[in-house]
Amino acid sequence: MAKIKNMPIIAANWKMYKTLAETEKFIEDFIPKVTDSQAHIYIAVPYTSIHTAALKATGSKIIIGAQNMNDASEGAFTGEVSAVMLTDAGARFVLLGHSERRRYFNESNQVINLKVKQALNNGLQPLLCIGETQEEREASETEDVLATQLSECLEGLDEKSLQTLIIAYEPVWAIGTGQTATPEIAQETHLFCREYLTQHWGQELASHIPLLYGGSVKPETAPLLLSQKDINGLLVGGASLQAESFAEIINSVNSQPVDA
Ligand code: PEP
């Protein structure tokens, strides 16, 4: 297996933006801009755009996914969407535990854990988001918060499941605020996550779990973040909404030194 550092994952989170027409236009404009990219490209679109985006992205290197799902396989849960529905519509991955889901929809680590398992059981790659708030960082609780999130969200998973997992470290204070974490803070926190995973699942497995950084990433901040040893990619919100800026972030991967 190639070292993950050599092929970073650059993921987009479109949140509650883009109609079908806007989705089609984005993909059309975007594909020619990233033909030479050396990154895995993931885009988490709104539910309503999944099918259209997946069709439009056919034959390209873009992987389309969702931003949430229900933890049940089916049932009387009005307004909810299941993992099977997502794969049926063309999604191949799903964001789980995004801080906006935790904050506005009261998602607990326990519910996120059920969702991770449900996604894996249905062939959807989970992209698990973790991160501390400003208050938690100021109270020196960052490592405790991340350890608890990792432990509770990944509870009961076996080694095989962990091989398909992606984790995004997204400090809540950096999301949508324009306040990107410094490369030093991001690297230090990623290293903590890597060491946590190593302690619990061993070095071989931990070294292959992609750890993405997310929080106000811009074309200007992407290269330095990507150059950090334990950062294997980026999760991008606001700057992924325009084809130009998202492509610029993706193409900054091409100027990264290749690991020996
Ligand atoms: C996000 O929503 O996951 C995110 C990182 O957003 P932004 O890049 O806008 O901070």
Side-chain angles (χ1 to χ4, degrees), residues 50 53 152 169 222:
I50 292 173
E152 294 182 354
Y169 165 60

Side-chain angles (χ1 to χ4, degrees), residues 129-185:
C129 303
I130 58 171
E132 82 289 359
T133 64
Q134 179 84 50
E135 296 71 40
E136 288 162 344
R137 179 159 280 273
E138 282 167 7
S140 304
E141 290 169 4
T142 300
E143 294 189 354
D144 286 347
V145 169
L146 297 177
T148 303
Q149 289 175 340
L150 286 170
S151 149
E152 294 182 354
C153 293
L154 302 181
E155 204 271 318
L157 294 188
D158 58 18
E159 285 193 10
K160 190 163 169 281
S161 307
L162 287 163
Q163 281 165 14
T164 60
L165 181 76
I166 304 169
I167 296 175
Y169 165 60
E170 297 207 296
V172 180
W173 46 270
I175 297 178
T177 59
Q179 198 193 333
T180 321
T182 62
E184 293 74 24
I185 288 183

Side-chain angles (χ1 to χ4, degrees), residues 2-181:
K3 278 194 186 174
I4 47 179
K5 190 72 184 171
N6 287 347
M7 189 72 171
I9 295 171
I10 311 291
N13 174 15
W14 280 3
K15 312 195 187 205
M16 200 170 70
Y17 293 102
K18 293 199 190 294
T19 61
L20 285 182
E22 289 164 345
T23 299
E24 287 193 316
K25 170 97 173 64
F26 179 100
I27 308 258
E28 271 165 26
D29 292 349
F30 179 68
I31 288 177
K33 296 186 194 310
V34 293
T35 40
D36 296 328
S37 102
Q38 290 158 28
H40 294 288
I41 304 171
Y42 284 53
I43 306 183
V45 302
Y47 291 140
T48 46
S49 288
I50 292 173
H51 190 54
T52 296
L55 285 180
K56 273 276 174 197
T58 306
S60 76
K61 44 177 90 159
I62 303 166
I63 297 170
I64 299 298
Q67 302 168 18
N68 180 38
M69 51 172 259
N70 193 271
D71 60 280
S73 50
E74 62 180 359
F77 302 110
T78 302
E80 290 297 283
V81 172
S82 71
V84 172
M85 292 169 183
L86 296 182
T87 51
D88 190 41
R92 289 169 53 194
F93 79 102
V94 59
L95 295 188
L96 293 173
H98 190 279
S99 70
E100 288 153 15
R101 301 289 323 165
R102 293 174 187 265
R103 181 168 170 201
Y104 302 125
F105 302 96
N106 300 318
E107 285 194 18
S108 64
N109 290 331
Q110 287 68 27
V111 166
I112 295 162
N113 175 248
L114 293 176
K115 291 186 181 194
V116 170
K117 288 175 177 160
Q118 189 66 241
L120 288 165
N121 287 341
N122 288 283
L124 266 178
Q125 187 173 24
L127 198 170
L128 170 68
C129 303
I130 58 171
E132 82 289 359
T133 64
Q134 179 84 50
E135 296 71 40
E136 288 162 344
R137 179 159 280 273
E138 282 167 7
S140 304
E141 290 169 4
T142 300
E143 294 189 354
D144 286 347
V145 169
L146 297 177
T148 303
Q149 289 175 340
L150 286 170
S151 149
E152 294 182 354
C153 293
L154 302 181
E155 204 271 318
L157 294 188
D158 58 18
E159 285 193 10
K160 190 163 169 281
S161 307
L162 287 163
Q163 281 165 14
T164 60
L165 181 76
I166 304 169
I167 296 175
Y169 165 60
E170 297 207 296
V172 180
W173 46 270
I175 297 178
T177 59
Q179 198 193 333
T180 321

